[in-house]
Amino acid sequence: MSDVLLAVDDLRTYFDVESGTLRAVDGLSLEVRRGDVLGLVGESGCGKSVTSLSIVRLVDPPGRIAGGRIRFDGADVLAMSEAELSELRGSRIAMIFQQPLASLDPVQRVGRQIGEALAAHTSLDRRARERRAVELLRQVGIADPEARARAYPHELSGGMAQRVMIAIALACSPDLIIADEPTTALDVTIQAQIMDVLRDLCATGDTAVILITHDLGLVAEIATRVAVMYAGHVVEECPIRELYARPLHPYTRGLLASMPVLGANRETLAVIPGTVPTPVDLPP
């Protein structure tokens, strides 16, 4: 069994819009090994979320994967049938999206939605699925999980709904979790609990995580490697300690310099001057 779980090579994901071809991801390559936590960082619009959707072939028209290769545990994802993709998603690769209340079904109870993932990919009976749903809600730090399993999404806070999404992602013990800003709606205490859950999963040596975030502090706390994205490209990738000790790319140095530091003697925050070029008309 190869140590490399996910290998993305020269991925190009384009959107055909009125003004031309928007190259959201343009020649991206990266590897994720079993047990890795890869932090994927960069500002809004750099292509992080499009990369995550491309990995599981969830890019909708006018978007398209224009080229490259995606291999998961040796299998060619771009050559998979819809049936094979359905088995892959949720079972072996799980997604945690940014907007939980938009992702949850508003007319289904929380416990049933977690149970649907288990019904699709396991042989557990209904009672076993109900027990597992409660157990998962407890695992992600939800108080009184039995009551919350009977609740509807509109009865939850934003942070609680995000933890439900994480519970759904964890339901089938996937090999890879792609977490797109998973702690955006959570306070620091719950954020720490969720990071502990993800860290414990990776400690077994099997589950890997791609953590998409703007929070460089969060990346420093949990990631083993980090990839910095800019305008659809990975401009720097290295072990996390190396990035903070010796950042090589000017954009990486700018990101680190712009982090607010408690107690720092600064009158103003450092910024990166200029704007990110449009992906429709990139300069040479």
Side-chain angles (χ1 to χ4, degrees), residues 18-40:
E18 287 185 7
S19 55
T21 299
L22 190 154
R23 292 172 284 177
V25 178
D26 196 20
L28 177 140
S29 298
L30 55 82
E31 280 188 353
V32 181
R33 297 180 179 274
R34 298 174 194 277
D36 263 1
V37 181
L38 176 70
L40 191 59

Side-chain angles (χ1 to χ4, degrees), residues 57-80:
R57 282 177 51 189
L58 284 175
V59 178
D60 292 326
R64 58 188 171 88
I65 297 176
R69 210 164 84 161
I70 303 169
R71 299 192 70 83
F72 181 78
D73 202 11
D76 186 350
V77 174
L78 299 183
M80 286 183 177

Side-chain angles (χ1 to χ4, degrees), residues 96-118:
I96 302 170
F97 295 102
Q98 286 187 56
Q99 298 175 320
L101 289 174
S103 302
L104 293 170
D105 186 338
V107 299
Q108 297 281 0
R109 296 181 191 274
V110 164
R112 182 164 183 176
Q113 295 190 56
I114 299 172
E116 283 178 352
L118 293 165

Side-chain angles (χ1 to χ4, degrees), residues 36-39 211 218-226 239-241:
D36 263 1
V37 181
L38 176 70
L211 177 64
L218 195 65
V219 169
E221 179 187 341
I222 190 173
T224 51
R225 295 185 62 81
V226 62
I240 186 67
R241 291 181 182 275

Side-chain angles (χ1 to χ4, degrees), residues 148-163:
R148 296 304 176 190
R150 296 190 295 271
Y152 290 95
H154 73 270
E155 297 176 299
L156 307 177
S157 67
M160 217 173 267
Q162 185 65 288
R163 280 177 278 168

